[in-house]
């Protein structure tokens, strides 16, 4: 079996999710960096691999998977243990909902291409962009805080890391980078801190990637 290659970027939270999941499963992979700020994700060579021109893409031989939710589901199916989804259908749906809250409702509104469009197309100032980011992360975190209060234990769901933590930890990183006040979200912060103690999460952190600081 050919080795996995993760196409990403050190500060991409979507690529960060995939690194966490692979690390939790103990799956070896190589990384290829594409500097998003330099537009390398839109180079012809990369578009031949990933036609959407975004990271991450996960490549194994001639197979290329795109979009982090699909990639994480594939990882879970391919390497079932340790499980990133709980046992019952209801609990799986709750964990997937936590993940989707980040992947669908929060992250798309504060990723690089949206923020760049605010700056260029609408001439948004630095303060206006930061207000935008704070608003949408805050909206999502307000709902997520309630879900963790209901379903969380040591981690976002129960007492073991799940797919939800793979999404929450990178979004916390983004929130801190944009200087969002996290005091209204103590359960999210606690879940993130618990996950951050695990070696799988430490090894996935943007600051320790080979391309850290690029762009």
């Amino acid at each position: 079996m050919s080795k996995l290659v993760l196409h990403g970027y050190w500060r991409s939270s979507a690529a960060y999710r995939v690194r966490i999941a692979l690390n939790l499963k103990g799956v070896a992979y190589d990384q290829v960096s594409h500097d998003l700020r330099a537009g390398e994700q839109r180079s012809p060579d990369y578009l031949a691999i990933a036609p959407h021109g975004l990271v991450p893409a996960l490549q194994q031989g001639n197979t290329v998977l795109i979009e982090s939710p699909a990639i994480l589901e594939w990882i879970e199916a391919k390497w079932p243990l340790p499980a990133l989804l709980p046992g019952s259908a209801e609990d799986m749906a709750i964990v997937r909902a936590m993940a989707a809250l980040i992947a669908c409702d929060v992250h798309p509104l504060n990723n690089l291409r949206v923020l760049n469009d605010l700056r260029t197309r609408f001439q948004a100032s630095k303060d206006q962009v930061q207000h935008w980011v704070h608003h949408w992360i805050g909206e999502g975190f307000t709902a997520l805080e309630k879900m963790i209060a209901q379903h969380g234990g040591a981690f976002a769901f129960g007492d073991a890391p799940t797919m939800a933590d793979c999404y929450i930890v990178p979004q916390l990183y983004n929130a801190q980078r944009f200087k969002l006040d996290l005091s209204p979200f103590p359960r999210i912060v606690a879940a993130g801190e618990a996950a951050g103690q695990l070696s799988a999460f430490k090894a996935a952190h943007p600051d320790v990637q080979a391309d850290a600081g690029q762009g």
Side-chain angles (χ1 to χ4, degrees):
M1 182 182 295
S2 55
K3 194 169 186 179
L4 289 176
V5 177
L6 175 60
H7 296 266
Y9 176 65
W10 70 285
R11 210 158 59 182
S12 161
S13 58
Y16 190 176
R17 298 167 193 163
V18 177
R19 293 196 299 265
I20 292 169
L22 290 170
N23 292 349
L24 284 169
K25 300 289 189 178
V27 177
Y29 59 98
D30 291 330
Q31 294 195 72
V32 176
S33 177
H34 303 271
D35 187 343
L36 302 187
R37 291 191 173 272
E40 291 179 359
Q41 74 278 18
R42 293 186 295 275
S43 71
D45 287 347
Y46 185 65
L47 290 174
I49 296 170
H52 64 333
L54 299 170
V55 298
L58 189 63
Q59 186 173 17
Q60 186 173 52
N62 293 326
T63 300
V64 179
L65 304 174
I66 62 171
E67 297 293 352
S68 61
I71 294 171
L72 263 69
E73 291 284 352
W74 178 82
I75 291 169
E76 179 71 358
K78 192 84 169 175
W79 296 279
L81 296 176
L84 298 182
L85 290 170
S88 75
E90 292 77 14
D91 287 348
M92 286 184 193
I94 291 166
V95 168
R96 286 186 170 115
M98 289 179 169
L101 203 158
I102 299 297
C104 301
D105 298 341
V106 176
H107 174 251
L109 290 167
N110 61 83
N111 68 13
L112 180 62
R113 61 179 179 168
V114 169
L115 301 186
N116 281 344
D117 211 45
L118 290 174
R119 296 178 182 113
T120 57
R121 189 187 303 267
F122 301 104
Q123 291 79 52
S125 68
K126 181 178 179 180
D127 287 346
Q128 287 172 322
V129 169
Q130 184 156 314
H131 175 79
W132 170 275
V133 171
H134 286 189
H135 173 76
W136 292 114
I137 297 179
E139 287 275 306
F141 274 14
T142 297
L144 187 60
E145 181 76 8
K146 294 174 183 177
M147 295 182 76
I148 295 176
Q150 184 176 359
H151 303 290
F155 295 88
F157 183 96
D159 292 319
T162 66
M163 200 174 286
D165 301 285
C166 296
Y167 286 79
I168 291 167
V169 167
Q171 194 59 56
L172 268 171
Y173 171 82
N174 285 348
Q176 291 164 340
R177 189 160 64 89
F178 284 103
K179 298 180 171 56
L180 176 68
D181 177 15
L182 293 172
S183 61
F185 313 113
R187 292 177 176 86
I188 296 176
V189 171
E193 289 176 348
Q197 297 303 307
L198 301 180
S199 59
F201 286 82
K202 290 179 179 178
H205 195 281
D207 290 352
V208 300
Q209 303 312 303
D211 59 334
Q214 173 183 300

